[in-house]
Amino acid sequence: ELMTTQTLLPRWRGFNLLDFFTTQSTGDVSEDDFRWIAGWGFNFVRLPMCYTLWIEDDNPRRTHEPMLKKIDQALELGRAHGIHVCLSFHRGPGYSVNPERVEPYNLWKDQAALDDFCFHWQHFARRYQGIPSDQLSFNLLNEPASPSPQTMTRDDHARVMRAAVAAIRDVDPQRLIILDGLSWGNDPCPELADLEVAQSCRAYLPMGVSHYKASWVNGETFPAPRWPGGWHHGENWDR
């Protein structure tokens, strides 16, 4: 059986940099990070970002230029060192996998949240229009949760992603856009294949290897990784 090889994305190798990660982040990127990453032979940086960092007075339509300029600086450092930069909303209006803040609305159910989500992505599309996609990509939202009727159905997710893609392409049709899989990045979304975007899924399984000692999933209780026999919630995975 023939296997189809994806051609949309290069074989990037790199890191998340957490300078814009939480509501308390400062956005103070370090050129040394980019210098070291490039020097080690890597070519990719993803910036998981929290939208509250670049708004004022908790108003999602009032942007804070000093923090936006710090994002500009991170992008310029990537370009200067030959590193692709991927902007990712780790917290977008109405949703984050990170429980540090309770959002005032639900991205998947509330039109106001969707409008604000599109507003911010269109702002970045306009701000960085003209920077080629081999230097910059947009990862729309980190790890949407598992679908459920109460919080987010697959149809809800598809509607939100299609709206955001359309908002970006209305400004910058050439921008490379990446969507995470559902169920915290584990499940692909074939229903969105016609959008001609990239999809980013995770390789978290077995969890005993990928999340050993990870405090946010009680990884301190996981047995020490060994091979063969990768631990996964009581199961031992072979090759």
Side-chain angles (χ1 to χ4, degrees):
E1 182 178 351
L2 294 176
M3 298 292 289
T4 301
T5 301
Q6 71 87 16
T7 58
L8 185 60
L9 298 182
R11 298 199 69 178
W12 289 317
R13 299 288 188 272
F15 301 86
N16 283 314
L17 293 183
L18 303 185
D19 303 292
F20 303 93
F21 186 51
T22 75
T23 61
Q24 305 304 309
S25 297
T26 64
D28 295 322
V29 295
S30 166
E31 184 166 11
D32 279 344
D33 287 344
F34 288 86
R35 185 183 298 114
W36 294 336
I37 288 168
W40 293 332
F42 295 93
N43 62 357
F44 177 85
V45 158
R46 179 173 176 264
L47 299 178
M49 305 190 304
C50 173
Y51 81 100
T52 62
L53 295 177
W54 63 84
I55 65 173
E56 294 183 346
D57 302 324
D58 213 26
N59 183 339
R61 296 300 181 102
R62 185 180 297 163
T63 57
H64 182 63
E65 188 64 20
M67 184 61 75
L68 290 169
K69 287 183 176 177
K70 291 184 177 183
I71 299 172
D72 296 347
Q73 181 185 16
L75 176 54
E76 289 307 310
L77 286 172
R79 299 177 76 191
H81 290 278
I83 294 172
H84 180 96
V85 175
C86 176
L87 303 185
S88 173
F89 283 15
H90 199 271
R91 176 176 299 279
Y95 177 79
S96 177
V97 71
N98 187 337
E100 68 167 342
R101 164 188 157 100
V102 176
E103 285 295 305
Y105 43 20
N106 182 339
L107 174 60
W108 316 111
K109 301 293 187 181
D110 298 332
Q111 187 63 42
L114 176 55
D115 290 344
D116 291 341
F117 186 68
C118 292
F119 167 82
H120 284 280
W121 272 123
Q122 196 164 66
H123 175 93
F124 283 115
R126 189 173 293 110
R127 191 176 188 95
Y128 300 132
Q129 189 174 18
I131 297 177
S133 284
D134 62 356
Q135 297 178 6
L136 173 68
S137 59
F138 291 168
N139 177 208
L140 297 193
L141 190 66
N142 179 77
E143 295 187 4
S146 292
S148 74
Q150 293 76 29
T151 56
M152 179 199 71
T153 66
R154 290 190 82 103
D155 286 344
D156 289 331
H157 174 262
R159 173 177 49 80
V160 168
M161 294 298 108
R162 288 182 183 278
V165 169
I168 292 167
R169 287 179 172 165
D170 187 53
V171 173
D172 187 355
Q174 304 307 312
R175 177 60 56 212
L176 175 58
I177 298 172
I178 304 170
L179 309 184
D180 275 13
L182 292 172
S183 302
W184 301 280
N186 287 290
D187 296 333
C189 303
E191 64 271 21
L192 296 175
D194 63 292
L195 280 178
E196 297 185 351
V197 298
Q199 291 198 28
S200 174
C201 290
R202 303 297 188 257
Y204 286 159
L205 309 184
M207 290 285 286
V209 174
S210 67
H211 282 64
Y212 178 61
K213 297 287 189 181
S215 61
W216 58 94
V217 290
N218 298 316
E220 303 96 334
T221 67
F222 295 172
R226 60 187 179 89
W227 190 259
W231 181 89
H232 186 72
H233 298 297
E235 300 176 349
N236 289 320
W237 286 31
D238 61 17
R239 187 179 183 87

